[in-house]
Amino acid sequence: EVQLVESGGGLVQAGGSLRLSCAASGFTFSNFWMSWVRQAPGKGLEWVANINQGGSEKYFVDSVTGRFTISRDNAKNSVYLQMNSLRAEDTAVYYCARDGSGSYYPARYFDIWGRGSLVTVSS
Amino acid sequence: SSVLTQPPSVSVAPGQTARITCGGNNIGGKSVHWYQHKPGQAPVLVVFDDIERPSGIPERFSGSDSGKTATLTISRAEAGDEADYYCQLWDYNSDHYVFGPGTKVTVL
């Protein structure tokens, strides 16, 4: 079964750090671009960051640039989101999502999602 | 960068048809994708590349594109279709994924 499982969420004080992990199974992880998408309480979905198959290309939404980093370990079938200098507005459920194309060029949509990990930043 | 618009809510009677629109200043010529999201669950891709349906998604879900507006149509609506629906595209200018604000579908 194709699956993504997030972990690492929790309660953190403003200015603190947290590292989210996403474990993939059921597909050849190293073939796919991967993304993190978040949903703040009562709000809609917001793309946060993505990374290409080899980890050499990374992109971020403007609001997290310089504070968040994305990485992956293809040997462990995992992608990570390191979140530093956290703010109250980063409070959200963070979803790991797979790009819809297993080829070099991304499809630019998400065909597999995890159930999410809640990050709460207290001010 | 692209800004997408969706109606906040759509109501539909069981067995009837619901249509959710997605508009935007730069939507023309771009591929639009649609997700169904139920509380506490993972979002589900229901339409990609404007009109394509992933395997396992019922034929009741269909997408269309008129150039300036993309539409997700849910035919023969069922109680299980109640969810938030989001459109999404790739903004080539900013290299960002953009989501619409979401539409809450209620099956009365």
Side-chain angles (χ1 to χ4, degrees):
Chain A
E1 178 189 6
V2 175
Q3 196 172 10
L4 298 172
V5 179
E6 303 91 340
S7 61
L11 176 64
V12 62
Q13 286 191 331
S17 298
L18 211 56
R19 187 197 195 207
L20 301 181
S21 299
C22 170
S25 59
F27 64 97
T28 305
F29 178 74
S30 59
N31 285 352
F32 291 86
W33 284 73
M34 298 296 297
S35 281
W36 288 94
V37 177
R38 67 184 179 183
Q39 183 178 35
K43 303 295 185 181
L45 299 173
E46 179 186 39
W47 170 78
V48 175
N50 70 341
I51 185 170
N52 73 336
Q53 292 91 333
S56 61
E57 294 185 51
K58 306 172 185 181
Y59 301 91
F60 300 89
V61 69
D62 294 348
S63 59
V64 308
T65 298
R67 300 188 299 121
F68 290 12
T69 59
I70 187 171
S71 62
R72 65 190 295 161
D73 185 336
N74 288 338
K76 295 184 177 180
N77 291 335
S78 294
V79 61
Y80 309 98
L81 186 68
Q82 177 67 42
M83 303 182 292
N84 300 329
S85 303
L86 282 161
R87 306 167 180 168
E89 54 264 35
D90 296 319
T91 294
V93 175
Y94 285 75
Y95 297 96
C96 174
R98 188 185 83 170
D99 184 86
S101 168
S103 64
Y104 178 82
Y105 294 103
R108 305 299 190 191
Y109 58 84
F110 310 111
D111 66 340
I112 302 294
W113 297 66
R115 296 180 69 108
S117 183
L118 176 63
V119 172
T120 303
V121 184
S122 65
S123 54
Chain B
S1 62
S2 297
V3 177
L4 299 177
T5 59
Q6 295 181 238
S9 62
V10 168
S11 297
V12 61
Q16 298 304 304
T17 298
R19 294 181 179 84
I20 307 164
T21 56
C22 178
N25 52 339
N26 291 325
I27 200 171
K30 295 185 174 70
S31 294
V32 177
H33 322 290
W34 292 91
Y35 304 89
Q36 176 192 71
H37 191 200
K38 298 180 181 180
Q41 298 187 20
V44 174
L45 178 70
V46 293
V47 166
F48 66 97
D49 290 347
D50 299 324
I51 61 172
E52 302 296 334
R53 196 170 43 248
S55 60
I57 300 300
E59 292 183 6
R60 301 185 299 103
F61 291 86
S62 62
S64 61
D65 179 10
S66 70
K68 292 187 177 182
T69 301
T71 301
L72 175 69
T73 300
I74 307 173
S75 305
R76 301 181 299 284
E78 303 175 354
D81 298 334
E82 284 203 341
D84 294 323
Y85 290 83
Y86 295 90
C87 60
Q88 174 255 315
L89 55 72
W90 172 256
D91 187 323
Y92 291 89
N93 292 323
S94 64
D95 277 343
H96 286 5
Y97 294 83
V98 178
F99 285 94
T103 298
K104 183 176 183 62
V105 170
T106 302
V107 181
L108 299 171

